[in-house]
Amino acid sequence: MLSNWIMNFLLMLSAFGNPLSPSDDAWEFDFNGNGSIDVQDIMTMLSSQPSSKEVGETTDFSYINGK
């Protein structure tokens, strides 16, 4: 779900640049295994973002303007 992905991404951002230990919640997002969340980890996470087709989002915002 997109909401899970967003929460995980926010967790990553909160740990950005800080040293991690295996007991940290963000440890699983240290994709390159260097002991901290860095730009490479952020880019990896962004590449795994669910597509709009997977989550049923729309980019048609015409309903907002009543069109």
Side-chain angles (χ1 to χ4, degrees), residues 2-65:
L2 182 61
S3 59
N4 291 342
W5 186 90
I6 291 171
M7 293 303 292
N8 289 337
F9 187 68
L10 291 173
L11 178 63
M12 280 186 79
L13 290 178
S14 70
F16 183 80
N18 296 320
L20 298 173
S21 68
S23 63
D24 291 326
D25 291 335
W27 176 261
E28 66 183 291
F29 304 114
D30 180 18
F31 299 113
N32 59 9
N34 67 352
S36 68
I37 302 296
D38 58 14
V39 173
Q40 290 176 331
D41 297 316
I42 298 290
M43 297 303 289
T44 301
M45 185 68 167
L46 287 173
S47 70
S48 72
Q49 180 180 5
S51 71
S52 60
K53 291 179 183 174
E54 290 178 75
V55 295
E57 292 182 359
T58 181
T59 54
D60 178 14
F61 297 109
S62 61
Y63 64 91
I64 293 174
N65 298 323

